[in-house]
Amino acid sequence: MSDETIDRLVADLRPVGRALSPVVQALVWSVAAAACIVELITLRYHCRADLAYALERPSYVLGVLCLALIAIGSAIAAIQSSFPGRRVSRAWSRAIVLLSLVYVGNLVVSAIDFPWREDLTVGLSSLGFQCSLTLLALSVTPALILVLGCRRLASVQPKGTGLWLSVAFASAAACGLGLICPLDAPVHHLVWHGIPVIALALLGRGVGPRLLHW
Amino acid sequence: MRRSQAGDASAYKELLETAQVLLRVYAKGLLARMGISDAVDDAVQEVLLAIHLKRHTYDPERLFTPWLFAIARYKLIDFARARRRLPSEAVDENFAAPQSDEGAAVDLEALLAELTPKQRDAIRLVKLEGLSVAEASEQTKMSQSAIKVSIHRAMKELKEKIRGEHR
């Protein structure tokens, strides 16, 4: 029976182009995701009015930079884990965790200088819910592109791939959200920007096996 | 596999035939651990089809066997899940297992141990590690024709051994 299968498969053989390396694919995705997010910000949302001023603050730049690096690093991990027989190295995972800690640490340091009463009031205000919705909206197209890219490959660790790709698109969206949201309260960033990223990551890990099944 | 990706039908046929021998041993062991012993042929066919569809994901710069067995493990577990409707938790435990797959390695090593040292070296270098006959010849100090003969005889013996076990 298998011999017949082999004959059929050989008859069906066509030259195939090898899949691009994870780094190249992730960089292509990053450019596409950035373009989609910027396009959506231009069409639907607006950049924060004081963006030029914010860009002069090292803590703001560090936050945006961390999120961008987390997005690119996680996209590389997602694509790497979509190649059979390859794994994401521990060093790579640790680097991404370290970047996340730098991001949170940066918020904690910012909180020291921030008036705590105002921080809590603004941070816990339900107005922040709008930020979470915006983050979801910004993440849709990058998520679709990355899921389709990973599905074209062959993930044999769908939970891990699901987790990495969710972290990638959610971080990219959070990075875009940083250009829109005028609120600098660290608690607001942790609650309304950070929790949706964690929720999406867990969701991605959960639905990964169904989403990436091949 | 490199030649197969370029569309070389004879190289592809040879590759699938070799893979089929290895996969049969692997599938038999893995499915038996999941309580399935009557569907090795069907499962191997599924894996061969998966190899065919996902051949673009193989990087010739890397070893062939980790790629092959990673696909085989995934598809065999999928196959077992469909057959036995395994709870997803049971399958996830298998995903968490190391990809080098010690079970397959043990089965394969046991099978290779029955070959002569020359045949074993030839199979290991050319069929498992993906070296060319010339590269294997250089490494083992055997002539190229001796390598080819060793592979031919080893494959014949492996097929007979597996068929014998399968009956």
Side-chain angles (χ1 to χ4, degrees):
Chain A
M1 186 65 93
S2 290
D3 289 337
E4 286 171 26
T5 306
I6 289 174
D7 289 339
R8 280 207 306 275
L9 297 180
V10 170
D12 186 54
L13 181 68
R14 302 281 178 278
V16 288
R18 269 164 45 200
L20 295 171
S21 79
V23 174
V24 174
Q25 289 196 49
L27 290 177
V28 170
W29 172 80
S30 303
V31 171
C36 292
I37 288 170
V38 168
E39 182 76 13
L40 194 57
I41 290 173
T42 312
L43 292 177
R44 173 82 176 76
Y45 306 97
H46 300 286
C47 284
R48 53 189 285 173
D50 63 343
L51 183 61
Y53 167 73
L55 285 169
E56 287 174 8
R57 283 188 293 119
S59 63
Y60 176 81
V61 174
L62 182 62
V64 171
L65 196 64
C66 279
L67 288 171
L69 289 176
I70 291 169
I72 296 170
S74 302
I76 292 173
I79 294 165
Q80 170 86 355
S81 68
S82 297
F83 280 87
R86 297 197 210 173
R87 311 199 102 181
V88 179
S89 71
R90 283 192 180 186
W92 195 261
S93 308
R94 282 177 187 160
I96 292 172
V97 171
L98 186 67
L99 278 171
S100 310
L101 291 176
V102 170
Y103 176 77
V104 174
N106 183 40
L107 287 178
V108 171
V109 170
S110 307
I112 295 169
D113 295 335
F114 216 88
W116 66 271
R117 202 181 290 268
E118 186 191 338
D119 189 12
L120 280 180
T121 312
V122 173
L124 299 176
S125 154
S126 60
L127 283 173
F129 188 64
Q130 190 59 40
C131 277
S132 298
L133 290 180
T134 306
L135 188 146
L136 287 178
L138 291 175
S139 69
V140 171
T141 319
L144 275 176
I145 298 171
L146 194 54
V147 167
L148 290 176
C150 289
R151 276 184 63 88
R152 202 184 153 268
L153 300 170
S155 175
V156 295
Q157 314 148 54
K159 279 192 168 182
T161 307
L163 174 76
W164 284 122
L165 72 83
S166 308
V167 172
F169 69 70
S171 302
C175 189
L177 184 60
L179 304 176
I180 302 169
C181 177
L183 302 175
D184 289 323
V187 173
H188 169 81
H189 278 261
L190 278 176
V191 174
W192 301 106
H193 296 205
I195 289 178
V197 173
I198 296 168
L200 283 172
L202 295 175
L203 184 71
R205 188 175 186 275
V207 300
R210 280 175 191 275
L211 209 59
L212 301 167
H213 186 259
W214 54 278
Chain B
M1 192 56 161
R2 187 183 302 141
R3 285 190 286 151
S4 306
Q5 285 177 326
D8 183 336
S10 63
Y12 192 45
K13 184 166 184 167
E14 195 185 332
L15 176 93
L16 290 181
E17 282 172 350
T18 307
Q20 181 189 208
V21 173
L22 303 176
L23 290 172
R24 215 173 269 284
V25 179
Y26 183 47
K28 198 176 167 188
L30 190 66
L31 293 178
R33 288 203 289 277
M34 294 184 204
I36 298 173
S37 55
D38 60 341
V40 174
D41 271 346
D42 291 346
V44 169
Q45 280 188 63
E46 295 247 340
V47 179
L48 289 174
L49 183 61
I51 290 168
H52 181 72
L53 294 175
K54 297 296 181 183
R55 62 191 188 279
H56 64 284
T57 63
Y58 173 66
D59 178 359
E61 305 294 317
R62 292 168 178 260
L63 287 178
F64 177 66
T65 42
W67 180 84
L68 175 73
F69 286 116
I71 288 183
R73 167 176 281 279
Y74 179 78
K75 292 312 281 186
L76 289 172
I77 290 168
D78 207 35
F79 179 83
R81 182 195 288 164
R83 280 282 291 224
R84 298 192 53 216
R85 306 226 171 275
L86 285 177
S88 58
E89 289 74 17
V91 174
D92 292 340
E93 280 170 21
N94 286 310
F95 282 135
Q99 290 203 346
S100 58
D101 203 273
E102 287 160 18
V106 170
D107 290 343
L108 193 57
E109 285 304 323
L111 213 57
L112 291 178
E114 296 184 22
L115 302 174
T116 65
K118 282 184 180 178
Q119 289 174 343
R120 195 162 47 236
D121 287 346
I123 285 284
R124 202 184 293 281
L125 291 173
V126 177
K127 298 296 184 187
L128 299 184
E129 293 182 13
L131 298 188
S132 67
V133 171
E135 288 167 334
S137 161
E138 197 174 305
Q139 201 161 320
T140 57
K141 309 293 177 207
M142 288 162 68
S143 69
Q144 291 195 23
S145 28
I147 293 274
K148 286 178 189 169
V149 169
S150 295
I151 290 172
H152 178 73
R153 287 183 181 159
M155 288 303 293
K156 201 173 160 188
E157 272 187 40
L158 286 175
K159 278 181 188 172
E160 279 169 10
K161 168 93 182 107
I162 289 162
R163 280 187 187 135
E165 278 183 1
H166 198 55
R167 273 180 205 129

